Amino acid sequence: MKTRKYLLPVAAAGVLALSLSACGGGGSSSGGGGGNSGGGDAAANMDGRGPITYVQGKDNSNVVRPLIEKWNAAHPNEKVTFKEQTDQADQQHDDLVQNFQAKNANYDVVSVDVVWTAEFAAKGWLQPLKDKMALDTSGMLKPTLDAASYKGTLYAAPESSDGGILYYRKDLVPTPPKTWDEMMSMCSIAKSNNMGCYAGQFSKYEGLTVNASEAINSAGGSVLDKDGKPSLTTDDAKAGLGNLAKAYADGNIPKEAITYKEEESRQAFQDGKLLFLRNWPYVYNLATTEGSSKVKDVLGMTALPGKSGPGASSLGGHSAGMSVYSKNKATALDFMKFLTTEETQKFFATQGSLAPVLTKLYDDKDLVAKLPYLPVLKTSIENAVPRPVTPFYPAVSKAIQDNAYSAIKGEKAVDAALSDMQKSIETQSK
Ligand code: GLC
């Protein structure tokens, strides 16, 4: 089982901050990791009010538009326009980087995946949320605050958290598995029902970094050790990635799952093609409300399986960051505050089954009555392991994705894939 040492606050303890020097490959942009070279003027336009744009990935659960309509009705002179990106994390990232590099004043408030905070903050693209621009963060889940901070400063407003959930078919699996081995032993049920057994997200993109890290963490390993150095050549890491490679080879993970991102895997599960699915909480709402869903009444949700008990999710989630290039920062800040109110957070939870960033909502009786999985989700998030915190995250993630992909497909031995991952991440620190 995952030890709790990685659950220490990242910003305070520096436990997970990857120990990289300032000259790694940091995606396409130039500039050091520590300074604000190339960044905009954080002191400018702080009192600016007027129309703004909010940029976010595909609104799978249709929560953003109704929320913006509500805001716009109350703020006719400070209307928000929604710029919707694709549903792929990597494309969302690249679009933001390009627009920050172009100093686009019209990307006022942007949705920042927890793994991009360090990079965007180090580049000087995000307005620090302090002093005049401070946000009331009392009552927010600590992991979401840590993930929105860099070097002790808050750079974005936590908007929704995310923790991995194991979805399963209650009609076919009376008692959900607690361990990976138990889950694999239940794959005979899938076979006799002519369906695939397990899938997560194994396409080569950020989702695979999430899934490969979870496999490693859940087997007792870790991507980084407690000093922030890569620790991928351990027996536990090998067992974790090995679990995915073996299941893919023997068919317990169906072959088509190598192309799955979140949405394809959700669709397969909703179509009745999978017994178990690893995915984020947003699936609950769509799987129980979409007319075509075959799992509406048989949807089970439990913790990800681990080695000898529950496993450890990768911490996911998004925060709303303000571009330093925005001309209307006062409006942007008000809109960010609006995203974090109790009312908005409840709306995200009930309409889209998104994970709230306010701790108390997980124990709110009315909400738990409507969303019975909230306690499972709270545990998932509290025990979740952050992905490496570094301004050079894209390069680190690529090393994990590329090697995990080859190992799962059987094109590279698990051992070799892990030591290549290790070397590649170490190279970033040279
Ligand atoms: C979800 C998570 C995010 C993660 C992404 C990977 O959107 O919230 O943190 O990086 O999935 O696809």
Side-chain angles (χ1 to χ4, degrees):
M1 255 174 77
K2 196 62 222 136
T3 68
R4 291 188 66 93
K5 65 188 171 202
Y6 289 113
L7 308 179
L8 291 171
V10 174
V15 171
L16 274 168
L18 181 52
S19 42
L20 298 178
S21 67
C23 57
S28 47
S29 41
S30 59
N36 282 354
S37 50
D41 185 358
N45 303 317
M46 287 213 238
D47 298 317
R49 289 197 173 272
I52 58 167
T53 297
Y54 172 61
V55 185
Q56 191 205 277
K58 188 163 185 306
D59 184 19
N60 290 323
S61 316
N62 192 29
V63 291
V64 176
R65 282 189 181 80
L67 198 70
I68 288 182
E69 270 167 32
K70 187 176 157 196
W71 167 275
N72 286 347
H75 301 86
N77 299 320
E78 295 171 275
K79 283 196 175 162
V80 175
T81 303
F82 180 32
K83 155 103 205 256
E84 190 176 30
Q85 301 167 303
T86 73
D87 63 2
Q88 286 191 47
D90 301 29
Q91 290 173 358
Q92 296 160 13
H93 169 270
D94 294 351
D95 175 59
L96 293 181
V97 169
Q98 274 164 22
N99 281 280
F100 281 136
Q101 284 176 333
K103 308 191 176 183
N104 183 354
N106 299 324
Y107 265 41
D108 301 89
V109 178
V110 305
S111 175
V112 180
D113 191 319
V114 290
V115 286
W116 308 332
T117 313
E119 178 192 6
F120 293 177
K123 291 278 199 251
W125 292 334
L126 295 178
Q127 181 77 27
L129 301 182
K130 59 181 188 191
D131 308 325
K132 200 174 171 172
M133 306 308 268
L135 192 81
D136 177 11
T137 57
S138 55
M140 288 188 184
L141 278 180
K142 182 132 187 51
T144 65
L145 279 172
D146 289 340
S149 303
Y150 181 61
K151 297 195 170 168
T153 298
L154 186 71
Y155 279 93
E159 184 177 352
S160 60
S161 190
D162 244 350
I165 301 274
L166 184 70
Y167 293 87
Y168 67 97
R169 289 284 298 266
K170 271 203 286 203
D171 52 336
L172 302 172
V173 177
T175 312
K178 285 209 166 50
T179 67
W180 177 268
D181 290 347
E182 264 172 47
M183 181 167 80
M184 289 298 110
S185 72
M186 294 175 181
C187 287
S188 53
I189 305 175
K191 244 180 227 136
S192 50
N193 285 280
N194 267 326
M195 62 206 296
C197 186
Y198 173 77
Q201 295 74 44
F202 306 121
S203 174
K204 206 191 283 180
Y205 78 119
E206 185 57 32
L208 180 54
T209 299
V210 166
N211 279 257
S213 307
E214 278 172 357
I216 291 168
N217 295 327
S218 296
S222 61
V223 174
L224 303 180
D225 67 15
K226 61 178 174 23
D227 299 320
K229 301 234 162 61
S231 57
L232 289 155
T233 53
T234 63
D235 288 346
D236 288 336
K238 191 177 160 190
L241 186 57
N243 282 339
L244 295 181
K246 180 167 182 297
Y248 188 73
D250 67 21
N252 283 342
I253 293 177
K255 292 292 172 259
E256 56 269 28
I258 200 74
T259 64
Y260 285 177
K261 298 180 292 295
E262 280 83 2
E263 280 293 86
E264 291 89 348
S265 64
R266 173 178 74 84
Q267 207 56 59
F269 185 73
Q270 280 187 205
D271 289 348
K273 292 182 187 153
L274 285 170
L275 189 59
F276 298 108
L277 167 73
R278 177 263 170 240
N279 210 323
W280 306 105
Y282 86 97
V283 167
Y284 171 84
N285 166 56
L286 297 170
T288 52
T289 59
E290 280 192 342
S292 58
S293 172
K294 298 203 168 114
V295 300
K296 257 186 214 148
D297 304 317
V298 291
L299 183 69
M301 293 168 78
T302 191
L304 298 178
K307 188 177 176 178
S308 50
S313 166
S314 295
L315 179 68
H318 291 84
S319 329
M322 183 192 309
S323 165
V324 286
Y325 306 110
S326 170
K327 300 253 185 296
N328 292 323
K329 291 182 183 172
T331 301
L333 184 64
D334 283 354
F335 181 65
M336 283 153 64
K337 288 179 180 164
F338 172 70
L339 293 174
T340 65
T341 62
E342 188 172 332
E343 201 182 332
T344 301
Q345 289 292 310
K346 271 193 181 162
F347 174 74
F348 282 157
T350 50
Q351 290 299 118
S353 60
L354 302 183
V357 297
L358 299 176
T359 315
K360 72 174 188 192
L361 293 187
Y362 289 86
D363 306 312
D364 180 301
K365 279 208 184 74
D366 294 344
L367 213 54
V368 175
K370 275 191 208 134
L371 308 170
Y373 62 85
L374 277 179
V376 171
L377 179 58
K378 188 183 183 194
T379 310
S380 168
I381 293 171
E382 282 175 346
N383 293 331
V385 183
R387 282 161 278 169
V389 174
T390 160
F392 311 111
Y393 183 75
V396 170
S397 177
K398 188 160 185 334
I400 299 174
Q401 287 163 40
D402 288 355
N403 286 294
Y405 188 81
S406 305
I408 294 170
K409 279 192 96 178
E411 291 164 358
K412 210 187 245 193
V414 169
D415 264 352
L418 286 168
S419 68
D420 287 354
M421 238 183 242
Q422 173 92 9
K423 269 185 250 150
S424 177
I425 298 177
E426 275 168 2
T427 310
Q428 306 302 319
S429 58
K430 296 252 164 70

